[in-house]
Amino acid sequence: MAALRIWLRLKRATALRAGGAWARNKCQSSFGLLFDIDGVLVRGRTPIPAAKEAFRKLVDSRGEFQVPVVFVTNAGNCLRQVKAEQLSEVLDVEPPATKDFTQIEAVILFGEPVRWETNLQLIIDVLLTNGSPGDCVRTVPDPHLPILACNMDLMWMAEAQMARFGHGTFLVCLENIYKKITGKDLKYKALIGKPSIITYNYADCLVRKLGESRGLDAPVCRLYAIGDNPMTDIYGANLYNRYIQSAHKLPVPAKVAAGGMLEGQEEVPGIGPVHEGKLAGSAIESCKSILVCTGVYSRHEQLPCDPSVSVTETVFHGHRDFHFDPSLVEPSFEVQDVNEAVDLVFREENRD
């Protein structure tokens, strides 16, 4: 049987640019906003009430954005255009534009499937047969086919009261099954999506391009990343802020760019295909993290169930290949919801 070829679009986490042209006389923003979606703006298909109120503060009377806005999500369970249309309807804003990515040939894992056992079996078959699942397994390929994972979220927030298993949980299953069968570790060509630096670097580029294309009076130099998951949204934003600070001082080989996240690896999964070079240059001065309490994180419902225990003392939900740096889980700011987050940003930026 001919080798199974899996053709999919590579995503560094879905990045949607908010649409709408900004009035020239209001283009004075020197900051941009990065919004997570699930747990910040919506819970499943249900909008979080504070989201509409927050976005009314970001648009003018015509519904057009006054500051550069990028939506950064690990969710890959629908087409980007569908996600953009859903957001536009929920938030009553201009439809966000989507960004296409280059097609590649690889096994690319976007999000948790409906039938886990079927998909786990198929992926293992493909890996053990080097892409020819109709053949018998004679020897375990070493190295196996390239694998790219675009979502590392262990948990995510839908309509249910408790967080749901995310794609990170599916990866845990896949890694352990492969290890149990072969005695070898599953290796990734790249780990893409929050908290990977490459995701935030790409969002950074989008924000700055948006500012340039809309004629801002001042270049975007500060980012505020709003999210509900300390282990992905906050960890990733803080990690990117660390990268920004070090990038202005030092050359940025892969290990430095990873912020010391990985141990004993020359190629950094979080950096992906740019591990032999550098990430795109950035004029951004800082990336501050804002944690909301409407999703995965709640002030009173953390594990272990003791409100006196700091979030940095809880079990690390990050991916196997990322060691835990507790300092990166602490947000720059903590607020109740996205509406309070927008108010906070305006105060920080001395905006009315």
Side-chain angles (χ1 to χ4, degrees):
M1 182 176 179
L4 176 64
R5 294 184 177 182
I6 301 177
W7 290 85
L8 292 172
R9 291 187 181 275
L10 171 62
K11 298 199 301 182
R12 300 182 177 95
T14 301
L16 309 178
R17 298 176 296 170
W22 306 313
R24 293 262 174 189
N25 61 354
K26 295 184 179 180
C27 293
Q28 301 173 354
S29 173
S30 59
F31 66 96
L33 298 173
L34 311 181
F35 284 97
D36 182 36
I37 296 176
D38 295 299
V40 175
L41 306 179
V42 298
R43 293 274 295 267
R45 296 181 179 274
T46 304
I48 292 174
K52 282 190 177 182
E53 187 174 353
F55 274 75
R56 280 196 290 268
K57 298 172 181 177
L58 297 174
V59 300
D60 60 20
S61 59
R62 295 173 297 177
E64 297 175 347
F65 281 90
Q66 301 180 72
V67 298
V69 171
V70 170
F71 301 95
V72 184
T73 176
N74 279 349
N77 57 348
C78 69
L79 296 175
R80 291 183 297 277
Q81 189 58 41
V82 173
K83 179 69 73 175
E85 291 169 357
Q86 291 173 348
L87 280 176
S88 300
E89 181 178 354
V90 166
L91 301 174
D92 290 331
V93 296
E94 290 290 319
T98 63
K99 179 70 175 178
D100 288 331
F101 295 82
T102 306
Q103 280 193 325
I104 66 170
E105 181 180 348
V107 176
I108 309 179
L109 308 174
F110 284 117
E112 63 277 11
V114 175
R115 295 184 295 275
W116 285 36
E117 72 285 355
T118 301
N119 286 270
L120 287 167
Q121 183 70 71
L122 175 60
I123 296 169
I124 292 295
D125 289 350
V126 170
L127 295 176
L128 294 182
T129 60
N130 204 31
S132 299
D135 295 346
C136 295
V137 180
R138 293 178 175 82
T139 59
V140 177
D142 188 16
H144 55 65
L145 289 177
I147 300 178
L148 298 91
C150 302
N151 181 342
M152 294 172 276
D153 289 0
L154 189 74
M155 310 288 281
W156 70 288
M157 207 67 191
E159 290 94 344
Q161 292 301 309
M162 293 181 63
R164 303 290 88 188
F165 291 155
H167 191 239
T169 306
F170 180 79
L171 296 180
V172 170
C173 295
L174 177 63
E175 293 155 9
N176 282 277
I177 291 171
Y178 185 84
K179 175 78 170 183
K180 193 73 172 179
I181 291 174
T182 68
K184 300 178 180 180
D185 289 329
L186 187 75
K187 297 181 180 180
Y188 295 91
K189 184 68 175 178
L191 293 171
I192 304 167
K194 298 177 292 186
S196 166
I197 286 179
I198 197 171
T199 295
Y200 288 87
N201 185 245
Y202 181 69
D204 174 349
C205 292
L206 284 182
V207 165
R208 288 185 287 119
K209 287 181 179 178
L210 279 169
E212 293 169 1
S213 67
R214 303 306 187 188
L216 293 179
D217 292 343
V220 175
C221 55
R222 289 176 296 281
L223 294 177
Y224 296 87
I226 303 168
D228 70 302
N229 192 331
M231 300 295 178
T232 54
D233 304 318
I234 303 307
Y235 201 101
N238 290 341
L239 182 65
Y240 190 57
N241 185 64
R242 175 183 291 181
Y243 160 73
I244 291 170
Q245 306 311 314
S246 65
H248 293 306
K249 303 174 183 177
L250 301 168
V252 191
K255 287 190 290 187
V256 174
M261 292 175 65
L262 303 173
E263 297 176 308
Q265 295 190 14
E266 290 298 324
E267 296 184 9
V268 180
I271 301 301
V274 302
H275 63 263
E276 293 180 352
K278 293 184 179 180
L279 296 174
S282 175
I284 297 295
E285 297 172 356
S286 64
C287 179
K288 295 183 179 180
S289 57
I290 305 177
L291 178 63
V292 300
C293 303
T294 52
V296 170
Y297 175 75
S298 170
R299 291 189 179 104
H300 306 296
E301 297 178 5
Q302 290 302 290
L303 295 176
C305 296
D306 180 353
S308 67
V309 176
S310 168
V311 69
T312 60
E313 297 176 278
T314 60
V315 177
F316 181 44
H317 287 184
H319 189 267
R320 175 199 68 185
D321 292 348
F322 290 70
H323 77 72
F324 186 35
D325 182 342
S327 67
L328 296 178
V329 182
E330 295 289 356
S332 305
F333 306 96
E334 180 183 324
V335 296
Q336 179 57 37
D337 54 41
V338 67
N339 186 44
E340 288 189 15
V342 170
D343 286 343
L344 184 149
V345 172
F346 282 178
R347 289 196 301 271
E348 290 290 307
E349 295 293 326
N350 297 316
R351 297 269 302 224
D352 294 330

